[in-house]
């Protein structure tokens, strides 16, 4: 049994790691200056929710085995300064995960899009095959109690590798800590411009990741991404290379079917991007010794990850559906809308996009959204006034949005009530409503749009 203290315990992965360590029988404490649900409720149930918000250096005592530091904290955090004064080991969560898995076979999923879905697909295949494994994933998945699991028994660990920064003490990308034996890169599309101000700086993070792969390991990469393909050539890695493309597929009566070696496999997810994600997971499964047919059978039962083209409502005769997606970057937005149109070619597609992230609101970035909503029938863009104020942004009028998206038919709204009314006016049978945001769309959910 060890004692761990979390600085910024309220983070999505941070609090999940805290829950997991507590469940293992360790003593876990933590602090934060803001904690929201689901972290707040989850920590309270485990009896590790801080009694009050804020930073308390007196919590840091010499009997703590390690402090785990979240990105939300700052370098002058009083608890961090106290831990440094007492020479207590301090880990970011990526560094801590690596410390627990450095003797395991590390599978790391990276890329600007599809990381969570590919990780979830690999985990699903392994679970179906009853193979013990550890994991770190960026969403809560069906069949898994936590988003993090470490053990002394599993030989493999499946890690979602984020290119975002590690901690206030460590400003390199999180995925550079993991040194994978098997790495996947799903594609590269400039994101996090508050951290990577130029496309070149963003590319360099992925080049470093490629060079961090074990020399006897494998890089599975999307060869349909020209930028990524060139980066692999320029990096000249010493590991083994496995390029991949999407599974061949057809859509018949709103059902996606994979064609593979004269086999037809009906699947529960859809969209070319998901067929690419499935192929990446399939290549990993083969490297882990899983039979192709077993992997394909598992793939056929995969239902998707939370908020990744997640079906949240369907009416009784299946003529109207509501999907929720985490899409926020331009490439993700386009892939998601295109996927819905391909799956439902004869339906009215109502696409709602909330501009919520720092990147999406930047004047030097917004033009990259051009044509991203083209496949939708009705296009609505929502800008939450409160979110804009927090980010210090104002003046995003309809013409500005329409010009940068390259579509003067886009309806631009900044009031949740008006957004709801507009959506309800568009809903009819034989339509699909697609809600896309990394935020909460003014508190609106699929239940507001049932018919």
């Amino acid at each position: 049994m060890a004692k761990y203290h979390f600085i910024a315990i309220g983070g999505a992965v941070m609090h999940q790691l805290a829950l997991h360590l507590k469940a293992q029988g360790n003593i876990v404490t933590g602090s934060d200056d803001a904690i929201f649900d689901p972290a707040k409720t989850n920590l309270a149930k485990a009896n590790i929710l801080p009694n009050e918000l804020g930073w308390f250096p007196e919590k840091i005592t010499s009997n703590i085995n390690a402090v785990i530091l979240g990105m939300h904290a700052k370098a002058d955090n009083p608890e961090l300064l106290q831990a440094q004064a007492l020479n207590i080991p301090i880990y970011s969560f990526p560094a801590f995960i690596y410390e627990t898995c450095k003797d395991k076979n590390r599978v790391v999923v990276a890329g600007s899009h599809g990381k969570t879905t590919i990780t979830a697909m690999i985990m699903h295949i392994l679970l179906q095959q009853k193979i013990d494994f550890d994991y770190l994933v960026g969403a809560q998945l069906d069949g898994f109690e936590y988003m993090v699991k470490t053990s002394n028994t599993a030989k493999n660990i499946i890690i979602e590798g984020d290119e975002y920064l590690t901690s206030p003490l460590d400003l390199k990308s999180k995925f550079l800590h993991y040194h994978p034996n098997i790495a996947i890169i799903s594609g590269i599309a400039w994101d996090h411009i508050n951290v990577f101000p130029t496309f070149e700086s963003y590319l360099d993070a992925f080049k470093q990741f490629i060079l961090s792969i074990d020399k006897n390991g494998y890089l599975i990469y999307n060869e349909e991404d020209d930028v990524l393909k060139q980066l692999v050539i320029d990096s000249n890695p010493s590991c083994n290379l496995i390029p991949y493309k999407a599974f061949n597929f057809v859509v018949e009566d709103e059902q996606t079917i994979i064609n593979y070696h004269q086999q037809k496999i009906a699947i529960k997810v859809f969209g070319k991007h998901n067929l690419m994600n499935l192929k990446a997971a399939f290549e990993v499964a083969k490297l882990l010794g899983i039979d192709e047919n077993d992997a394909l059978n598992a793939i056929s039962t995969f239902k998707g990850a939370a908020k990744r083209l997640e079906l949240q409502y369907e009416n009784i005769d299946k003529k109207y559906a509501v999907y929720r997606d985490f899409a926020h970057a331009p490439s993700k937005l386009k892939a998601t809308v295109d996927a819905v149109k391909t799956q439902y070619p004869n339906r009215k597609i109502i696409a709602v996009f909330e501009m919520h992230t720092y990147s999406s609101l930047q004047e030097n970035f917004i033009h990259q959204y051009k044509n991203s909503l083209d496949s939708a029938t009705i296009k609505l863009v929502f800008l939450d006034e409160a979110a804009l104020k927090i980010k210090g942004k104002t003046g995003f009028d309809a013409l500005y949005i329409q010009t940068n998206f390259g579509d003067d038919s886009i309806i631009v709204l900044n009031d949740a009530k008006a957004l709801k009314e507009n959506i309800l006016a568009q809903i009819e049978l034989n339509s699909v409503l697609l809600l896309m945001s990394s935020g909460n769309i003014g508190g609106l959910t699929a239940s507001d749009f049932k018919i």
Side-chain angles (χ1 to χ4, degrees):
M1 181 176 69
K3 184 174 183 180
Y4 299 104
H5 181 80
F6 284 70
I7 300 176
I9 196 171
V13 176
M14 286 283 284
H15 94 274
Q16 287 282 322
L17 179 57
L19 294 172
H20 171 63
L21 291 176
K22 174 72 182 294
Q24 285 185 321
N26 299 293
I27 299 171
V28 177
T29 59
S31 300
D32 214 323
D33 57 1
I35 303 177
F36 304 101
D37 274 329
K40 186 175 182 180
T41 298
N42 291 339
L43 291 170
K45 285 180 180 177
N47 199 31
I48 50 177
L49 181 69
N51 292 327
E52 56 182 315
L53 295 175
W55 312 112
F56 305 94
E58 60 271 19
K59 287 185 176 182
I60 310 301
T61 54
S62 58
N63 64 337
I64 292 174
N65 295 93
V67 164
I68 301 174
L69 177 65
M71 188 63 202
H72 171 62
K74 291 181 169 54
D76 62 352
N77 183 286
E79 294 186 8
L80 174 57
L81 296 176
Q82 178 69 357
Q84 290 171 324
L86 294 175
N87 292 317
I88 296 170
I90 299 166
Y91 296 94
S92 63
F93 87 73
F96 183 82
I97 292 295
Y98 177 73
E99 190 64 25
T100 68
C101 72
K102 58 188 177 183
D103 296 324
K104 297 179 185 288
N105 184 43
R106 296 175 301 283
V107 179
V108 181
V109 183
S112 304
H113 42 72
K115 292 187 294 291
T116 299
T117 301
I118 295 171
T119 306
M121 288 170 172
I122 297 168
M123 291 168 61
H124 178 78
I125 294 170
L126 294 175
L127 186 66
Q128 294 295 304
Q129 292 298 301
K130 297 181 171 54
I131 295 173
D132 185 26
F133 63 97
D134 292 343
Y135 58 85
L136 165 64
V137 63
Q140 191 69 57
L141 304 178
D142 288 343
F144 297 91
E145 187 174 2
Y146 304 113
M147 291 160 58
V148 185
K149 173 182 172 279
T150 63
S151 71
N152 294 323
T153 56
K155 295 179 180 179
N156 300 303
I157 182 167
I158 315 302
I159 300 172
E160 179 177 340
D162 184 2
E163 70 270 26
Y164 204 66
L165 303 185
T166 298
S167 82
L169 297 183
D170 184 353
L171 298 179
K172 67 173 179 279
S173 295
K174 292 187 182 81
F175 58 24
L176 297 180
H177 286 274
Y178 301 130
H179 306 287
N181 305 101
I182 299 172
I184 303 94
I185 303 181
S186 61
I188 296 177
W190 189 23
D191 202 358
H192 302 311
I193 69 167
N194 52 322
V195 174
F196 303 101
T198 66
F199 186 49
E200 289 70 28
S201 63
Y202 190 64
L203 279 178
D204 186 62
F206 282 93
K207 181 176 182 179
Q208 291 180 56
F209 176 69
I210 291 170
L211 296 176
S212 75
I213 300 167
D214 184 275
K215 67 179 181 179
N216 296 315
Y218 296 85
L219 170 58
I220 301 168
Y221 68 96
N222 174 7
E223 67 173 318
E224 295 188 35
D225 185 314
D226 291 337
V227 172
L228 173 56
K229 189 174 180 179
Q230 188 61 49
L231 184 65
V232 172
I233 293 170
D234 293 343
S235 300
N236 191 28
S238 58
C239 61
N240 301 288
L241 300 178
I242 302 177
Y244 72 91
K245 296 180 179 180
F247 276 113
N248 290 324
F249 72 100
V250 294
V251 178
E252 298 176 357
D253 298 324
E254 299 181 351
Q255 169 72 64
T256 295
I257 299 169
I258 291 174
N259 290 319
Y260 183 75
H261 291 179
Q262 285 75 54
Q263 295 185 69
K264 290 190 173 183
I265 303 103
I267 59 173
K268 298 182 183 299
V269 295
F270 61 88
K272 183 179 178 182
H273 67 298
N274 270 326
L275 273 294
M276 299 193 75
N277 294 338
L278 282 171
K279 190 62 179 301
F282 181 66
E283 296 295 341
V284 171
K286 290 193 293 181
L287 287 179
L288 295 179
I290 296 171
D291 178 78
E292 282 194 355
N293 288 327
D294 290 337
L296 291 169
N297 287 334
I299 282 170
S300 71
T301 63
F302 178 74
K303 294 180 180 179
K307 295 182 181 178
R308 273 72 176 179
L309 259 182
E310 179 183 15
L311 178 62
Q312 296 198 321
Y313 171 74
E314 192 169 44
N315 72 335
I316 193 166
D317 62 0
K318 298 188 176 182
K319 293 297 184 184
Y320 165 69
V322 182
Y323 285 89
R324 181 76 161 86
D325 196 272
F326 193 68
H328 53 86
S331 60
K332 298 175 186 176
L333 203 65
K334 179 171 173 51
T336 299
V337 179
D338 289 353
V340 173
K341 183 62 178 176
T342 301
Q343 186 77 355
Y344 300 100
N346 301 314
R347 293 205 200 186
K348 176 183 183 181
I349 311 299
I350 307 160
V352 181
F353 171 49
E354 178 183 18
M355 295 183 68
H356 176 77
T357 63
Y358 180 93
S359 295
S360 69
L361 298 169
Q362 297 308 301
E363 291 82 354
N364 64 338
F365 185 81
I366 189 173
H367 66 277
Q368 298 204 34
Y369 285 96
K370 188 173 183 179
N371 304 126
S372 59
L373 296 175
D374 282 3
S375 293
T377 316
I378 304 296
K379 307 131 186 174
L380 300 101
V381 171
F382 176 61
L383 297 105
D384 187 282
E385 288 290 341
L388 287 175
K389 287 179 182 177
I390 290 171
K391 294 178 174 69
K393 296 292 178 181
T394 56
F396 286 80
D397 61 19
L399 181 59
Y400 178 77
I401 299 297
Q402 291 167 348
T403 300
N404 280 282
F405 276 71
D407 190 338
D408 60 9
S409 72
I410 290 174
I411 301 166
V412 181
L413 299 159
N414 58 15
D415 177 77
K417 183 179 178 182
L419 176 63
K420 182 178 179 180
E421 290 172 353
N422 268 268
I423 295 171
L424 289 171
Q426 297 293 346
I427 291 171
E428 57 190 48
L429 288 179
N430 207 38
S431 67
V432 176
L433 172 61
L434 175 58
L435 303 172
M436 297 175 289
S437 175
S438 59
N440 69 355
I441 318 182
L444 298 175
T445 65
S447 61
D448 292 304
F449 305 108
K450 294 181 177 180
I451 63 171

